[in-house]
Amino acid sequence: MYILAFETTGKYGSTALIDDGGNFCVHKSYDNFNHLKDLTLLADTCIKDMGIKKEDLSAIAVSVGPGSFTGIRIGVTTARAIAQVLKLPCIEIGTLESFKELEINEMICPIINARRGQVYGAIYKGEEEVLKAGPYMLTEILDILKEKKPENVIFYGDGIDAYEEIISENMNEVGLKFKFTEEEVRHQSAELVAKAALKKYVNGDLIRVYDVHPDYMRKPEAQQKLDEGKL
Amino acid sequence: MLDGRHLTMGIETSCDETAIAILADGREVLSNVISSQIDIHKNFGGVVPEIASRHHLENINGVLDEALAEAKVTIDDIDLIGVAYGPGLVGSLLIGVATAKAISFAKDIPLVGVNHMHGHIAANYIEFKDLEPPFLGLIVSGGHTNIVMVNDYDSCEVLGSTRDDAIGEAYDKVARVIGLGYPGGPKIDELAKKGNKTAINFKRVYLEKGCLDFSFSGTKTGVLNHVNRAKQKGDDINTADIAASFQEAVLEVIVNKAISAAKMLNQDALVVAGGVAANSRLNDMLSERCKEEGIKLYKPSPILCTDNGAMIGCAAYYKMKKGEISDLSLDAYPGLEI
Ligand SMILES: [Zn+2]
């Protein structure tokens, strides 16, 4: 049993291949936002790496967002088309939920920059969802952390790149111990998607190609304006 | 392969049409499925790139299934995948390119990236089974107005292009000014049939002598000024007359330049391509002038003039014949030149 997994919602695109024993390989692109060009090549490398044939695949997994709208689309479109022509089931993984697969016992806070003080974020402690993945103001998330007062909190995601100073100030203000992860392990990556997908596969949590949808968490700007009658 | 015939799948998503077709031996259409988003975008007065991209993603798998079913083939029968990789909206293009690459990877089918504009020209190979390059081409669409010399299946030389708006853009802008909304081209064409084309003498811009370039912004501004003046004076605005007169002005220039290019280059044929090639008045004017001048006119039927997968598949087939195969690193190029 093999699952091919895609992660393209952040700045580095990646593909992973995992077997039923949890053994995996992962290949990443270190070019910023070069997902369209690189993604199928990375998948091809994974297949060759593990020495399998595409016919050996059992399911296609994809990180469906939140994150870069364009990035989300490249991953979801690629996953859908592969699953469609190979007649395979799909597995949807939320980008923020995938960070749980780091299996860190401390409180973690993945945040993805959504600009203008906003983030897509979540707070997890092990399997516990302290704050459900969603669109928030950064300050809302920081207020929850201040209120929960964990021993330590580890931040992930490109929200750090954007809001490092504000986060530091807020955490220091109440004397909370915190850590920003290093660039190499900061961002979403396909092996986390693959690990989460393996669990879903074992649970029979499989969906059809047509049921795989991006989780943008936001309407297009033009649609918002139209809905508000401001177009 | 199907009964010894080579099968090409053509994928087209460069603007607001999600389209996939299956062709046999490059020129015979087995299916040509087009899912249009016009009804969605007309609420916004034009194509909204983010919304177009979201809809392409939701539509494309269904379009693929339909294209295979209608052609009565399976994905295993397909020998080649062609995809438009530019020019166009980047968010739209990437859905087609990602899909084409994913299928090519999953099923080990050769892939060819096609220039969308070469696709428009190739629509004529489907319509006219004996047509072969070289020939003189006129491309008129939402984003392009070009007179080209098509030297071969995969190469063409631009002899003239627009210095400001493309013809389709000019139509859209004028349609907005006279309250017709999006898409402007077909709406002006329809309304113009009820108007007097000599009612208003809008400027015809020919630029320097012998020049094959175009400029439509002056004519467009002329329409705007005419409407504003009428409003100030409180006169009634006859939108049908404006539509007919505007259309006459811009099409007259296009037709005259295309004919003079044919004469300059000693060409006895003119091949028209692109969305605006479906315009009825352009068709009448070209037919008449070509007949007078003894030039043979080629123009695809309307379904092949709009963006479609068949034209991309056909262009891909001939690129493949020349050995021009793409690999999995194919990317989208929104500004790709003809
Ligand atoms: Zn076009």
Side-chain angles (χ1 to χ4, degrees), chain B residues 2 47 55 101 125 134 160 200 241 243 259:
Chain B
L2 186 75
V47 177
H55 283 281
K101 286 173 63 168
Y125 302 135
I200 311 144
D241 282 354
I259 299 292

Side-chain angles (χ1 to χ4, degrees), chain B residues 315-338:
Chain B
Y317 176 81
Y318 285 104
K319 263 188 105 170
M320 176 273 295
K321 286 254 167 195
K322 298 221 144 222
E324 293 178 51
I325 301 287
S326 309
D327 61 32
L328 290 181
S329 67
L330 183 70
D331 210 343
Y333 289 91
L336 187 67
E337 309 255 337
I338 292 183

Side-chain angles (χ1 to χ4, degrees), chain B residues 114-248:
Chain B
V114 170
N115 184 314
H116 176 82
M117 303 317 293
H118 292 183
H120 273 303
I121 293 165
N124 283 283
Y125 302 135
I126 297 171
E127 189 82 43
F128 307 100
K129 303 298 176 204
D130 302 324
L131 181 66
E132 277 176 38
F135 53 75
L136 182 72
L138 169 67
I139 305 175
V140 277
S141 74
H144 290 264
T145 316
N146 293 104
I147 293 175
V148 297
M149 191 63 210
V150 179
N151 294 315
D152 205 340
Y153 284 106
D154 61 337
S155 76
C156 63
E157 187 187 334
V158 177
L159 307 175
S161 43
T162 178
R163 293 190 183 167
D164 37 63
D165 295 339
I167 180 66
E169 286 171 279
Y171 266 85
D172 280 340
K173 285 176 187 168
V174 167
R176 215 169 299 152
V177 168
I178 58 175
L180 292 182
Y182 173 85
K187 290 194 171 170
I188 287 185
D189 191 16
E190 251 337 279
L191 184 62
K193 288 174 187 159
K194 298 181 203 120
N196 173 3
K197 56 185 188 288
T198 57
I200 311 144
N201 186 25
F202 290 124
K203 198 158 67 178
R204 273 85 165 145
V205 183
Y206 283 92
L207 303 166
E208 309 86 68
K209 200 170 162 31
C211 166
L212 295 176
D213 282 348
F214 299 96
S215 169
F216 300 113
S217 72
T219 313
K220 181 195 72 193
T221 310
V223 175
L224 196 68
N225 292 342
H226 175 86
V227 170
N228 287 341
R229 243 181 329 224
K231 275 184 186 161
Q232 269 167 18
K233 285 198 276 178
D235 292 353
D236 278 347
I237 297 167
N238 186 329
T239 52
D241 282 354
I242 295 175
S245 301
F246 158 75
Q247 172 157 283
E248 201 65 13

Side-chain angles (χ1 to χ4, degrees), chain A residues 36 54 73 80 84 210 213, chain B residues 53 61 65 101 105 108:
Chain A
L36 180 62
K54 281 155 258 187
R73 281 194 276 272
R80 280 174 66 143
Q84 184 178 16
Y210 288 96
H213 298 292
Chain B
S53 189
N61 303 86
D65 272 342
K101 286 173 63 168
F105 157 73
D108 292 309

Side-chain angles (χ1 to χ4, degrees), chain A residues 98-129:
Chain A
S98 75
F99 282 92
K100 282 192 211 167
E101 301 305 320
L102 290 163
E103 292 181 337
I104 289 171
N105 259 331
E106 284 166 296
M107 192 169 278
I108 66 165
C109 180
I111 41 172
I112 294 165
N113 183 15
R115 293 190 291 273
R116 293 189 292 266
Q118 300 170 89
V119 292
Y120 308 111
I123 305 173
Y124 302 122
K125 182 137 197 288
E127 278 297 307
E128 185 199 345
E129 294 197 346

